[in-house]
Amino acid sequence: MIDRIVRSSPTRRVIELAVGLSRRGATLSADPTFDYIEIDVPHVIAHKRRLLERSAAGRVVLARPNLQLVAGDVLVDALPARTPAVVVAEGLAMYLAGDARRALFARVRALGDVELVFDLTPASDEPPPGAIGRALERAMKRFTGGQAFERDARTRDDVVAELGAAGFADARAIAARDVARDWQLPFADRATPVVIFVARATRS
Ligand SMILES: C[S@@+](CC[C@H](N)C(=O)[O-])C[C@H]1O[C@@H](n2cnc3c(N)ncnc32)[C@H](O)[C@@H]1O
């Protein structure tokens, strides 16, 4: 879903926050019209570099002038002020408490001309946790010293309102279950609670 939003954007610059080991940047930067900036915390960026350096194909990716790997904390360090851009945050928002999530929206909004896309399944879209879900949550709390997935994003409208309050326009939620066939998503027949949010901002 995020790939589709990125590919359909009129801008070819992508700033991917909390990129982890995602291959999206390596894939899209094969097209030289893309300018791709990946950000994650230093040890993850160092690890990703090491992995890419291990193969000839990885070294080709690392040598691309249109792919930049940046070490930084997206909640603290200055974000690259290179716009217009699509800003992607996959697999991040569900770990942020409400204050941190709203602060991140404001930081991205402050960049100016951006389209933000991220995944976050609001509590109202989640099926009630079964026995396995409750056990996983207990295990996660034990390993993280108490932190579980954030559940303070209660509804899609709550998140859309937060994006509006941060100064984004046209904020909308797109649920996988509503577009799975039209967008030819993999495993379109499987029920999934995945929701992505897309919002635009212009330079103010
Ligand atoms: C669940 S992984 C998602 C990785 C990737 N986006 C994906 O979807 O496969 C979460 C990533 O967020 C990164 N992360 C968490 N907090 C961050 C922060 N404050 N600044 C930068 N990266 C952060 C972690 O290092 C990790 O790589």
Side-chain angles (χ1 to χ4, degrees), residues 179-190:
V179 297
R181 282 185 193 288
D182 269 9
W183 290 20
Q184 297 173 342
L185 300 179
F187 311 110
D189 293 330
R190 292 224 193 124

Side-chain angles (χ1 to χ4, degrees), residues 23-202:
R23 66 189 189 127
R24 185 177 296 109
T27 304
L28 292 183
S29 62
D31 173 350
T33 65
F34 272 97
D35 177 19
Y36 212 103
I37 304 160
E38 302 194 338
I39 310 176
D40 208 300
V41 293
H43 74 270
V44 172
I45 290 294
H47 183 55
K48 189 167 194 174
R49 271 188 198 286
R50 273 196 303 276
L51 291 175
L52 287 167
E53 274 160 5
R54 284 204 319 213
S55 70
R59 290 191 290 276
V60 167
V61 169
L62 275 180
R64 287 182 189 149
N66 61 332
L67 176 68
Q68 206 187 329
L69 272 59
V70 177
D73 183 328
V74 300
L75 299 175
V76 176
D77 297 318
L79 299 178
R82 289 171 47 193
T83 57
V86 185
V87 177
V88 174
E90 179 176 11
L92 175 64
M94 63 288 284
Y95 297 104
L96 302 180
D99 285 352
R101 182 177 64 240
R102 289 183 284 275
L104 182 66
F105 293 165
R107 303 187 106 228
V108 174
R109 166 68 186 97
L111 292 175
D113 190 355
V114 291
E115 182 171 17
L116 171 63
V117 52
F118 62 95
D119 58 323
L120 177 64
T121 301
S124 61
D125 278 274
E126 291 276 16
I132 293 175
R134 286 194 300 273
L136 280 174
E137 184 128 350
R138 276 198 302 277
M140 186 163 163
K141 280 186 174 158
R142 210 164 45 241
F143 284 117
T144 61
Q147 202 180 341
F149 290 117
E150 283 302 326
R151 293 252 161 71
D152 65 347
R154 285 173 297 110
T155 67
R156 299 180 197 180
D157 286 348
D158 288 344
V159 180
V160 166
E162 287 180 357
L163 288 162
F168 284 94
D170 303 330
R172 64 193 200 282
I174 306 170
R177 66 167 75 95
D178 295 336
V179 297
R181 282 185 193 288
D182 269 9
W183 290 20
Q184 297 173 342
L185 300 179
F187 311 110
D189 293 330
R190 292 224 193 124
T192 166
V194 168
V195 177
I196 65 165
F197 290 85
V198 184
R200 282 174 209 280
T202 48

